[in-house]
Amino acid sequence: MLNLIKDCVVKNTLKVERAKKNLTQADLAKLIMVSRQTIHAIESGKYVPSTVLALKIAHIFETTIEEVFELEESDWSK
Amino acid sequence: MLNLIKDCVVKNTLKVERAKKNLTQADLAKLIMVSRQTIHAIESGKYVPSTVLALKIAHIFETTIEEVFELEESDWSK
DNA sequence: GTAAAATGTAAAGTAAGGTTTACATTTGGA
DNA sequence: TCCAAATGTAAACCTTACTTTACATTTTAC
């Protein structure tokens, strides 16, 4: 079975949520205990965070993972 | 900065949700296009799925990731 | 009680998430 | 304008998620 997950595109609203709370990338990184580069990489779509990270991020923004990370429509069937 | 994420414990309700929908591990695996062993590994806590997989799993069960995957209380501060 | 279905387990390999260090560029305020 | 803060970028490295194949054990149905 070939890997279809890696081809899935996930959009996120990190930058906007950060703005709402007036947090810098470094602030957010510190809050969830990861490197600033990790936040940057997620925001710029370089990669999708692990579920543990996603849980923490959604928690900080007082919302759900689904609100922050959205799987592209066409990828639900992959 | 050392990696704290790997030490986080995440419980999940996959087995129960599967029972509700009367799906075998193989059924679920087929629905989200992963191997049966992947489902088994997640269910038995061997590892936490990626966010993409978690999104798909929650979607199948018509719920949210937070309902299916719960970070242990003490790990929110890690 | 036996066959089939479901679940458990394991090993080797690949890809993606995340780290560290380091430096370059952009933005904003005095 | 100039300094500092914020953001962007990159490379080398390690860990974990997920795959494939294969076989063992447990459950379920007849």
Side-chain angles (χ1 to χ4, degrees), chain A residues 23-46:
Chain A
L23 294 171
T24 67
Q25 291 181 346
D27 290 337
L28 179 56
K30 200 169 184 182
L31 279 172
I32 62 180
M33 312 275 276
V34 296
S35 65
R36 179 181 64 79
Q37 286 80 350
T38 293
I39 301 299
H40 177 264
I42 294 168
E43 242 175 59
S44 63
K46 195 176 172 200

Side-chain angles (χ1 to χ4, degrees), chain B residues 4-61:
Chain B
L4 296 169
I5 291 173
K6 64 166 191 279
D7 296 321
C8 290
V9 176
V10 175
K11 286 186 288 191
N12 73 74
T13 60
L14 261 193
K15 199 166 182 173
V16 172
E17 294 298 329
R18 233 175 11 88
K20 285 188 194 167
K21 294 236 171 227
N22 199 32
L23 294 171
T24 67
Q25 291 181 345
D27 290 338
L28 179 57
K30 200 170 185 183
L31 279 172
I32 61 179
M33 312 275 276
V34 296
S35 66
R36 179 181 64 79
Q37 286 79 351
T38 294
I39 301 299
H40 177 264
I42 294 168
E43 246 176 55
S44 63
K46 195 176 172 201
Y47 56 70
V48 180
S50 68
T51 295
V52 170
L53 259 194
L55 280 168
K56 289 185 175 186
I57 290 170
H59 190 247
I60 294 280
F61 293 140

